[in-house]
Amino acid sequence: MTEEKADHVICGVCGCELEGEDSIEEDGKVLCEDCYIESHHKIKTCDPWAVRSKKMFREGAGLEGAEGLTDLQKAIYELIVSTGGVKREDLAKKFEISPQEAENQFALLRHCELVKGQKRSDGVYLVPFDSLNPENV
């Protein structure tokens, strides 16, 4: 029984319990497979080639606005448009996704030139791509 307990470990990120052989150790931290993948799956937001590629694909396919987006991306885009802007952390809470997943979704929507970041007095907001800077309004 003691040996069985020693084979169980806790993920250092999400706290889930897993079998020792199902864990991944990295930089002295034990991770489950999901947390390991998420930590290595970061989409670069400011990527001119990704923007160009996505723009050409969407234009070629005749996609506009939320057309061609996943359900999650559509919901995020609609929230940003309807509210005029939302902070990343609020986005993660609203859709019950990790901060990294919120950042990845933002990056994908940014590549489509649907949303962008905008500095405001109380932080950075994700806003519709065509919105003006509040200082210029």
Side-chain angles (χ1 to χ4, degrees), residues 1-83:
M1 185 131 192
T2 308
E3 186 177 333
E4 188 177 302
K5 288 280 188 189
D7 290 340
H8 287 94
V9 294
I10 304 293
C11 175
V13 176
C14 72
C16 72
E17 185 176 330
L18 47 137
E19 299 292 322
E21 67 269 5
D22 293 334
S23 66
I24 300 165
E25 189 170 337
E26 182 176 68
D27 297 330
K29 208 179 220 184
V30 175
L31 304 172
C32 66
E33 183 178 357
D34 290 340
C35 290
Y36 177 80
I37 290 170
E38 185 170 309
S39 71
H40 289 82
H41 184 71
K42 297 176 182 171
I43 300 172
K44 189 175 174 185
T45 304
C46 297
D47 184 344
W49 284 108
V51 171
R52 182 177 186 281
S53 175
K54 186 64 88 170
K55 189 173 185 177
M56 288 176 60
F57 170 78
R58 288 178 58 81
E59 285 175 358
L63 300 174
E64 294 180 10
E67 294 175 339
L69 301 178
T70 66
D71 290 340
L72 176 59
Q73 291 165 347
K74 285 179 187 175
I76 290 170
Y77 178 65
E78 289 168 5
L79 175 69
I80 291 169
V81 169
S82 68
T83 61

Coordinates of all heavy atoms in Angstrom, one line a residue, residues 1-83:
M1 N 0.8 -1.2 0.0 CA 0.0 0.0 0.0 C 0.9 1.2 0.0 O 0.5 2.2 -0.7 CB -0.9 0.0 1.2 CG -1.9 1.1 1.2 SD -3.5 0.4 1.6 CE -4.5 1.7 1.2
T2 N 2.0 1.2 0.7 CA 2.9 2.4 0.8 C 3.5 2.6 -0.6 O 3.6 3.7 -1.1 CB 4.0 2.2 1.8 OG1 3.4 1.8 3.0 CG2 4.8 3.4 1.9
E3 N 3.8 1.5 -1.3 CA 4.4 1.6 -2.6 C 3.4 2.2 -3.6 O 3.8 3.0 -4.4 CB 4.8 0.2 -3.1 CG 5.5 0.2 -4.4 CD 6.0 -1.2 -4.8 OE1 6.2 -2.1 -3.9 OE2 6.1 -1.5 -6.0
E4 N 2.1 1.9 -3.4 CA 1.1 2.4 -4.3 C 1.0 3.9 -4.1 O 0.9 4.7 -5.1 CB -0.2 1.8 -4.0 CG -1.3 2.2 -5.0 CD -2.6 1.4 -4.7 OE1 -2.6 0.2 -4.6 OE2 -3.6 2.1 -4.4
K5 N 1.1 4.5 -2.9 CA 1.0 5.9 -2.6 C 2.2 6.6 -3.3 O 2.1 7.7 -3.8 CB 1.0 6.2 -1.1 CG -0.3 5.8 -0.4 CD -1.3 6.9 -0.7 CE -2.5 6.7 0.2 NZ -3.6 7.5 -0.1
A6 N 3.4 6.0 -3.2 CA 4.6 6.6 -3.8 C 4.5 6.7 -5.3 O 5.2 7.6 -5.8 CB 5.9 5.8 -3.4
D7 N 3.7 5.9 -5.9 CA 3.5 6.0 -7.4 C 2.6 7.1 -7.8 O 2.5 7.4 -9.0 CB 3.0 4.7 -7.9 CG 4.1 3.5 -7.8 OD1 5.3 3.9 -7.7 OD2 3.7 2.4 -7.9
H8 N 1.9 7.7 -6.9 CA 1.0 8.8 -7.2 C 1.7 10.1 -7.0 O 2.4 10.3 -6.0 CB -0.3 8.8 -6.4 CG -1.2 7.7 -6.8 ND1 -1.1 6.4 -6.2 CD2 -2.1 7.6 -7.7 CE1 -2.0 5.6 -6.7 NE2 -2.6 6.3 -7.7
V9 N 1.5 11.1 -7.9 CA 2.1 12.4 -7.8 C 1.1 13.4 -8.1 O 0.0 13.1 -8.7 CB 3.3 12.6 -8.7 CG1 4.5 11.7 -8.3 CG2 3.0 12.3 -10.2
I10 N 1.4 14.7 -7.7 CA 0.4 15.8 -7.9 C 1.1 16.7 -8.9 O 2.2 17.1 -8.8 CB 0.2 16.5 -6.6 CG1 -0.4 15.6 -5.5 CG2 -0.8 17.7 -6.8 CD1 -1.7 15.0 -5.7
C11 N 0.3 17.1 -9.9 CA 0.7 18.1 -10.9 C 1.0 19.4 -10.2 O 0.2 19.9 -9.4 CB -0.3 18.3 -12.0 SG 0.1 19.6 -13.2
G12 N 2.2 20.0 -10.5 CA 2.6 21.3 -9.8 C 1.8 22.5 -10.4 O 1.9 23.6 -9.8
V13 N 1.0 22.3 -11.4 CA 0.3 23.4 -12.0 C -1.2 23.4 -11.6 O -1.7 24.3 -11.0 CB 0.5 23.5 -13.5 CG1 -0.4 24.6 -14.1 CG2 1.9 23.7 -13.9
C14 N -1.8 22.3 -12.0 CA -3.3 22.2 -11.8 C -3.7 21.4 -10.6 O -4.8 21.5 -10.1 CB -4.0 21.5 -13.0 SG -3.7 19.8 -13.2
G15 N -2.7 20.7 -10.0 CA -3.0 20.0 -8.7 C -3.7 18.6 -8.9 O -4.0 18.0 -7.9
C16 N -3.8 18.1 -10.1 CA -4.5 16.9 -10.3 C -3.6 15.7 -9.8 O -2.3 15.9 -9.9 CB -4.9 16.7 -11.7 SG -3.6 16.3 -12.9
E17 N -4.2 14.6 -9.4 CA -3.4 13.5 -9.0 C -3.2 12.5 -10.1 O -4.2 12.3 -10.9 CB -4.1 12.8 -7.8 CG -3.3 11.6 -7.2 CD -3.9 11.0 -6.0 OE1 -4.6 11.6 -5.3 OE2 -3.7 9.8 -5.8
L18 N -2.0 12.0 -10.3 CA -1.8 11.1 -11.4 C -0.8 10.1 -11.1 O -0.1 10.2 -10.1 CB -1.4 11.9 -12.7 CG -0.3 12.9 -12.5 CD1 0.7 12.8 -13.7 CD2 -1.0 14.3 -12.6
E19 N -0.8 9.0 -11.9 CA 0.2 8.0 -11.7 C 1.6 8.5 -12.0 O 1.7 9.3 -12.9 CB -0.1 6.8 -12.6 CG -1.4 6.1 -12.4 CD -1.5 5.4 -11.0 OE1 -0.5 4.8 -10.6 OE2 -2.6 5.5 -10.4
G20 N 2.6 8.0 -11.3 CA 4.0 8.5 -11.5 C 4.4 8.4 -12.9 O 5.1 9.3 -13.5
E21 N 4.1 7.3 -13.6 CA 4.5 7.1 -15.0 C 3.8 8.0 -16.0 O 4.2 8.1 -17.1 CB 4.4 5.6 -15.4 CG 3.0 5.1 -15.5 CD 2.4 4.5 -14.2 OE1 3.1 4.5 -13.2 OE2 1.3 3.9 -14.2
D22 N 2.7 8.6 -15.5 CA 1.9 9.5 -16.4 C 2.3 11.0 -16.2 O 1.8 11.8 -16.9 CB 0.4 9.4 -16.1 CG -0.2 8.1 -16.5 OD1 0.4 7.4 -17.4 OD2 -1.2 7.7 -15.9
S23 N 3.3 11.2 -15.4 CA 3.8 12.6 -15.1 C 5.0 12.9 -16.0 O 5.7 12.0 -16.4 CB 4.1 12.7 -13.6 OG 5.2 11.9 -13.3
I24 N 5.2 14.2 -16.1 CA 6.4 14.7 -16.8 C 7.1 15.6 -15.9 O 6.5 16.5 -15.3 CB 5.9 15.4 -18.1 CG1 5.2 14.5 -19.0 CG2 7.2 16.0 -18.8 CD1 4.4 15.2 -20.1
E25 N 8.4 15.4 -15.7 CA 9.2 16.3 -14.9 C 10.0 17.3 -15.7 O 10.6 16.9 -16.7 CB 10.1 15.5 -14.0 CG 10.8 16.4 -12.9 CD 11.5 15.6 -11.9 OE1 11.2 14.4 -11.7 OE2 12.4 16.2 -11.3
E26 N 9.8 18.5 -15.4 CA 10.5 19.6 -16.2 C 10.9 20.7 -15.2 O 10.1 21.2 -14.5 CB 9.6 20.1 -17.3 CG 10.3 21.2 -18.1 CD 9.5 21.6 -19.3 OE1 8.5 22.3 -19.0 OE2 9.8 21.3 -20.4
D27 N 12.2 21.0 -15.3 CA 12.7 22.1 -14.4 C 12.4 21.9 -12.9 O 12.0 22.8 -12.2 CB 12.2 23.5 -14.8 CG 12.7 23.8 -16.2 OD1 13.8 23.4 -16.6 OD2 12.0 24.6 -16.9
G28 N 12.4 20.6 -12.5 CA 12.2 20.3 -11.1 C 10.7 20.3 -10.7 O 10.4 20.1 -9.6
K29 N 9.8 20.4 -11.7 CA 8.4 20.5 -11.4 C 7.7 19.3 -12.1 O 8.1 18.9 -13.2 CB 7.8 21.8 -12.1 CG 6.6 22.3 -11.4 CD 6.2 23.6 -12.2 CE 5.8 24.6 -11.2 NZ 5.3 25.9 -11.8
V30 N 6.8 18.7 -11.4 CA 6.0 17.6 -11.9 C 4.8 18.1 -12.6 O 4.0 18.9 -12.0 CB 5.6 16.6 -10.8 CG1 4.7 15.5 -11.3 CG2 6.9 16.0 -10.2
L31 N 4.5 17.7 -13.8 CA 3.4 18.2 -14.6 C 2.6 17.0 -15.2 O 3.1 16.0 -15.5 CB 3.9 19.1 -15.8 CG 4.7 20.3 -15.5 CD1 5.3 20.8 -16.8 CD2 4.0 21.3 -14.7
C32 N 1.3 17.3 -15.3 CA 0.4 16.3 -16.0 C 0.6 16.6 -17.5 O 1.2 17.7 -17.9 CB -1.0 16.4 -15.6 SG -1.8 18.0 -16.1
E33 N 0.2 15.7 -18.4 CA 0.3 15.9 -19.8 C -0.3 17.2 -20.3 O 0.2 17.9 -21.1 CB -0.2 14.7 -20.6 CG 0.0 14.8 -22.0 CD -0.5 13.5 -22.8 OE1 -1.0 12.6 -22.1 OE2 -0.4 13.5 -24.0
D34 N -1.5 17.5 -19.8 CA -2.3 18.7 -20.3 C -1.5 20.0 -19.9 O -1.4 20.9 -20.8 CB -3.7 18.8 -19.7 CG -4.6 17.7 -20.3 OD1 -4.3 17.2 -21.4 OD2 -5.6 17.4 -19.6
C35 N -1.0 20.1 -18.7 CA -0.2 21.3 -18.3 C 1.1 21.4 -19.1 O 1.5 22.5 -19.4 CB 0.0 21.3 -16.8 SG -1.6 21.5 -15.9
Y36 N 1.7 20.2 -19.3 CA 3.0 20.2 -20.1 C 2.7 20.8 -21.5 O 3.4 21.6 -22.0 CB 3.6 18.8 -20.1 CG 4.8 18.8 -21.0 CD1 6.0 19.2 -20.5 CD2 4.7 18.3 -22.3 CE1 7.2 19.1 -21.3 CE2 5.9 18.2 -23.1 CZ 7.1 18.6 -22.6 OH 8.2 18.6 -23.3
I37 N 1.7 20.3 -22.1 CA 1.4 20.7 -23.5 C 1.0 22.2 -23.5 O 1.5 22.9 -24.4 CB 0.2 19.8 -24.1 CG1 0.7 18.4 -24.4 CG2 -0.3 20.5 -25.4 CD1 -0.3 17.4 -24.7
E38 N 0.2 22.6 -22.6 CA -0.2 24.0 -22.6 C 1.0 24.9 -22.4 O 1.1 26.0 -23.0 CB -1.2 24.3 -21.5 CG -1.7 25.7 -21.5 CD -2.9 25.9 -20.6 OE1 -3.9 25.2 -20.7 OE2 -2.8 26.9 -19.8
S39 N 2.0 24.5 -21.5 CA 3.1 25.3 -21.3 C 4.0 25.5 -22.5 O 4.8 26.4 -22.6 CB 3.9 24.8 -20.1 OG 4.6 23.6 -20.4
H40 N 3.9 24.5 -23.4 CA 4.8 24.6 -24.6 C 4.0 25.0 -25.9 O 4.6 25.0 -26.9 CB 5.4 23.2 -24.8 CG 6.5 22.9 -23.8 ND1 6.2 22.4 -22.6 CD2 7.8 23.1 -23.9 CE1 7.3 22.3 -21.9 NE2 8.3 22.7 -22.7
H41 N 2.7 25.3 -25.7 CA 1.9 25.7 -26.9 C 1.5 27.1 -26.8 O 0.4 27.5 -26.4 CB 0.7 24.8 -26.9 CG -0.2 25.1 -28.1 ND1 0.2 24.7 -29.4 CD2 -1.4 25.7 -28.3 CE1 -0.7 25.1 -30.3 NE2 -1.7 25.7 -29.6
K42 N 2.5 28.0 -27.0 CA 2.3 29.4 -27.0 C 2.3 30.0 -28.4 O 3.3 29.9 -29.1 CB 3.4 30.1 -26.1 CG 3.3 29.6 -24.7 CD 4.4 30.2 -23.9 CE 4.4 29.6 -22.4 NZ 5.5 30.0 -21.6
I43 N 1.2 30.6 -28.7 CA 1.1 31.2 -30.1 C 1.6 32.7 -30.0 O 1.1 33.4 -29.1 CB -0.3 31.1 -30.6 CG1 -0.8 29.7 -30.7 CG2 -0.5 31.8 -31.9 CD1 -2.3 29.5 -31.0
K44 N 2.5 33.0 -30.8 CA 3.1 34.3 -30.9 C 2.1 35.3 -31.4 O 1.5 35.2 -32.5 CB 4.3 34.3 -31.7 CG 5.2 35.5 -31.7 CD 6.4 35.3 -32.5 CE 7.2 36.6 -32.6 NZ 8.4 36.5 -33.4
T45 N 1.8 36.4 -30.6 CA 0.8 37.4 -31.0 C 1.2 38.2 -32.1 O 0.5 38.4 -33.1 CB 0.4 38.2 -29.7 OG1 -0.1 37.4 -28.7 CG2 -0.7 39.2 -30.1
C46 N 2.4 38.8 -31.9 CA 2.9 39.7 -33.0 C 3.8 38.9 -33.9 O 5.0 38.8 -33.8 CB 3.7 40.8 -32.3 SG 2.8 41.9 -31.2
D47 N 3.1 38.4 -34.9 CA 3.8 37.6 -35.9 C 3.3 38.0 -37.3 O 2.2 37.6 -37.8 CB 3.4 36.1 -35.7 CG 4.2 35.1 -36.6 OD1 4.7 35.6 -37.6 OD2 4.2 33.9 -36.3
P48 N 4.1 38.9 -38.0 CA 3.7 39.4 -39.3 C 3.4 38.3 -40.3 O 2.4 38.4 -41.1 CB 4.8 40.2 -39.7 CG 5.6 40.5 -38.5 CD 5.4 39.4 -37.6
W49 N 4.1 37.2 -40.3 CA 3.9 36.1 -41.3 C 2.5 35.4 -41.0 O 1.8 35.0 -41.9 CB 5.0 35.1 -41.3 CG 6.2 35.7 -42.0 CD1 7.4 36.1 -41.5 CD2 6.3 35.9 -43.4 NE1 8.2 36.6 -42.4 CE2 7.6 36.5 -43.7 CE3 5.5 35.8 -44.5 CZ2 8.0 36.9 -44.9 CZ3 5.9 36.1 -45.8 CH2 7.2 36.7 -46.0
A50 N 2.2 35.2 -39.7 CA 1.0 34.6 -39.4 C -0.2 35.5 -39.8 O -1.2 35.0 -40.3 CB 0.9 34.3 -37.9
V51 N 0.0 36.8 -39.6 CA -1.1 37.8 -40.0 C -1.3 37.7 -41.5 O -2.4 37.6 -42.0 CB -0.8 39.2 -39.5 CG1 -1.7 40.2 -40.1 CG2 -0.8 39.3 -38.0
R52 N -0.2 37.8 -42.2 CA -0.3 37.7 -43.7 C -0.9 36.5 -44.2 O -1.8 36.5 -45.0 CB 1.1 37.9 -44.3 CG 1.1 37.9 -45.8 CD 2.6 38.2 -46.3 NE 2.6 38.4 -47.7 CZ 2.5 37.4 -48.6 NH1 2.4 36.1 -48.3 NH2 2.6 37.7 -49.9
S53 N -0.5 35.3 -43.6 CA -1.0 34.0 -44.0 C -2.5 33.9 -43.7 O -3.3 33.5 -44.6 CB -0.2 32.9 -43.3 OG -0.8 31.7 -43.5
K54 N -2.9 34.3 -42.5 CA -4.3 34.2 -42.1 C -5.1 35.2 -42.9 O -6.2 34.8 -43.4 CB -4.4 34.6 -40.6 CG -5.8 34.4 -40.0 CD -6.2 33.0 -40.1 CE -5.8 32.3 -38.8 NZ -6.4 30.9 -38.7
K55 N -4.6 36.4 -43.2 CA -5.4 37.3 -44.0 C -5.6 36.8 -45.4 O -6.7 36.9 -46.0 CB -4.6 38.7 -44.1 CG -5.4 39.8 -44.7 CD -4.6 41.1 -44.5 CE -5.4 42.3 -45.0 NZ -4.8 43.5 -44.8
M56 N -4.6 36.2 -46.0 CA -4.7 35.7 -47.4 C -5.7 34.5 -47.4 O -6.5 34.4 -48.3 CB -3.3 35.3 -47.9 CG -2.4 36.4 -48.2 SD -0.7 35.9 -48.8 CE -1.1 34.9 -50.2
F57 N -5.6 33.7 -46.4 CA -6.5 32.5 -46.3 C -7.9 33.0 -46.2 O -8.8 32.5 -46.9 CB -6.1 31.6 -45.2 CG -7.1 30.5 -44.9 CD1 -7.2 29.4 -45.7 CD2 -8.1 30.7 -43.9 CE1 -8.2 28.4 -45.5 CE2 -9.1 29.8 -43.7 CZ -9.1 28.6 -44.5
R58 N -8.2 33.9 -45.3 CA -9.5 34.4 -45.0 C -10.1 35.1 -46.3 O -11.3 34.9 -46.6 CB -9.6 35.2 -43.8 CG -9.4 34.4 -42.5 CD -9.4 35.3 -41.2 NE -10.6 36.1 -41.1 CZ -11.8 35.6 -40.6 NH1 -11.9 34.4 -40.2 NH2 -12.8 36.4 -40.4
E59 N -9.3 35.9 -46.9 CA -9.7 36.6 -48.1 C -10.0 35.6 -49.2 O -11.1 35.7 -49.9 CB -8.7 37.6 -48.6 CG -8.6 38.9 -47.7 CD -7.5 39.8 -48.1 OE1 -6.7 39.5 -49.1 OE2 -7.4 40.9 -47.5
G60 N -9.1 34.6 -49.4 CA -9.3 33.6 -50.4 C -10.6 32.8 -50.2 O -11.2 32.3 -51.1
A61 N -10.9 32.5 -48.9 CA -12.1 31.7 -48.6 C -13.3 32.6 -48.5 O -14.4 32.1 -48.3 CB -11.8 31.0 -47.3
G62 N -13.2 33.9 -48.6 CA -14.3 34.8 -48.6 C -14.9 35.0 -47.2 O -16.1 35.2 -47.0
L63 N -14.0 34.8 -46.2 CA -14.5 34.9 -44.8 C -14.4 36.3 -44.3 O -13.4 37.0 -44.5 CB -13.6 34.0 -43.9 CG -13.7 32.5 -44.2 CD1 -12.7 31.7 -43.4 CD2 -15.1 31.9 -44.1
E64 N -15.4 36.7 -43.6 CA -15.4 38.1 -43.0 C -15.9 37.9 -41.5 O -16.7 37.1 -41.2 CB -16.4 39.0 -43.7 CG -15.9 39.3 -45.1 CD -16.9 40.2 -45.9 OE1 -17.8 40.8 -45.2 OE2 -16.7 40.4 -47.1
G65 N -15.5 38.9 -40.7 CA -15.9 38.9 -39.3 C -15.7 37.6 -38.6 O -14.6 37.0 -38.7
A66 N -16.7 37.1 -37.9 CA -16.6 35.8 -37.1 C -16.7 34.6 -38.0 O -16.6 33.5 -37.4 CB -17.6 35.8 -36.0
E67 N -16.9 34.7 -39.3 CA -17.0 33.5 -40.1 C -15.7 32.7 -40.1 O -14.6 33.3 -40.1 CB -17.3 33.9 -41.6 CG -18.6 34.5 -41.8 CD -18.8 35.0 -43.2 OE1 -17.8 35.2 -44.0 OE2 -20.0 35.2 -43.6
G68 N -15.8 31.4 -40.0 CA -14.6 30.5 -40.0 C -14.0 30.4 -38.6 O -13.0 29.6 -38.5
L69 N -14.5 31.0 -37.6 CA -13.9 30.9 -36.3 C -14.5 29.7 -35.5 O -15.6 29.3 -35.9 CB -14.1 32.2 -35.4 CG -13.6 33.5 -36.0 CD1 -14.0 34.7 -35.1 CD2 -12.1 33.5 -36.2
T70 N -13.8 29.2 -34.5 CA -14.3 28.2 -33.7 C -15.4 28.8 -32.8 O -15.5 30.0 -32.7 CB -13.3 27.6 -32.7 OG1 -12.8 28.6 -31.8 CG2 -12.1 27.0 -33.5
D71 N -16.2 28.0 -32.2 CA -17.3 28.5 -31.3 C -16.7 29.4 -30.2 O -17.3 30.4 -29.9 CB -18.1 27.3 -30.7 CG -19.0 26.6 -31.7 OD1 -19.2 27.2 -32.8 OD2 -19.4 25.5 -31.5
L72 N -15.6 28.9 -29.6 CA -15.0 29.7 -28.5 C -14.5 31.0 -29.1 O -14.7 32.1 -28.5 CB -13.8 28.9 -27.9 CG -13.0 29.7 -26.8 CD1 -13.9 30.1 -25.7 CD2 -11.8 28.8 -26.4
Q73 N -13.8 31.0 -30.2 CA -13.3 32.3 -30.8 C -14.5 33.2 -31.2 O -14.4 34.4 -30.9 CB -12.5 32.0 -32.1 CG -11.2 31.3 -31.7 CD -10.5 30.7 -32.9 OE1 -11.1 30.6 -34.0 NE2 -9.3 30.3 -32.8
K74 N -15.6 32.7 -31.7 CA -16.7 33.5 -32.0 C -17.3 34.2 -30.7 O -17.6 35.4 -30.7 CB -17.9 32.7 -32.6 CG -17.6 32.4 -34.0 CD -18.7 31.5 -34.6 CE -18.4 31.0 -36.0 NZ -19.4 30.1 -36.5
A75 N -17.4 33.4 -29.6 CA -17.9 33.9 -28.4 C -17.0 35.0 -27.8 O -17.5 36.0 -27.3 CB -18.1 32.8 -27.4
I76 N -15.7 34.8 -27.9 CA -14.7 35.8 -27.4 C -14.8 37.0 -28.2 O -14.9 38.1 -27.7 CB -13.3 35.2 -27.4 CG1 -13.1 34.1 -26.4 CG2 -12.3 36.3 -27.2 CD1 -11.8 33.3 -26.5
Y77 N -14.9 36.9 -29.5 CA -15.0 38.0 -30.4 C -16.3 38.8 -30.2 O -16.2 40.0 -30.1 CB -14.9 37.6 -31.9 CG -15.0 38.7 -32.9 CD1 -14.1 39.7 -33.0 CD2 -16.1 38.7 -33.8 CE1 -14.2 40.7 -34.0 CE2 -16.3 39.7 -34.7 CZ -15.3 40.7 -34.8 OH -15.5 41.7 -35.7
E78 N -17.4 38.1 -30.1 CA -18.7 38.8 -29.8 C -18.6 39.5 -28.5 O -19.2 40.6 -28.4 CB -19.8 37.8 -29.9 CG -20.0 37.3 -31.3 CD -20.9 36.1 -31.4 OE1 -21.5 35.6 -30.4 OE2 -21.1 35.6 -32.6
L79 N -18.0 38.9 -27.5 CA -17.9 39.6 -26.2 C -17.1 40.9 -26.3 O -17.5 41.9 -25.8 CB -17.3 38.7 -25.1 CG -17.0 39.3 -23.8 CD1 -18.3 39.6 -23.0 CD2 -16.1 38.4 -22.9
I80 N -16.0 40.8 -27.0 CA -15.1 42.0 -27.1 C -15.8 43.1 -27.9 O -15.8 44.2 -27.5 CB -13.8 41.6 -27.8 CG1 -12.9 40.7 -26.9 CG2 -13.0 42.8 -28.3 CD1 -11.7 40.0 -27.5
V81 N -16.5 42.7 -29.0 CA -17.3 43.7 -29.8 C -18.4 44.3 -28.9 O -18.6 45.5 -28.9 CB -17.8 43.1 -31.1 CG1 -18.8 44.0 -31.8 CG2 -16.6 42.7 -32.0
S82 N -19.2 43.5 -28.2 CA -20.3 44.0 -27.5 C -20.0 44.8 -26.3 O -20.7 45.7 -25.9 CB -21.2 42.8 -27.1 OG -20.6 42.0 -26.1
T83 N -18.8 44.6 -25.7 CA -18.4 45.4 -24.5 C -17.5 46.5 -24.9 O -17.2 47.4 -24.0 CB -17.7 44.5 -23.5 OG1 -16.6 43.9 -24.0 CG2 -18.7 43.4 -23.0

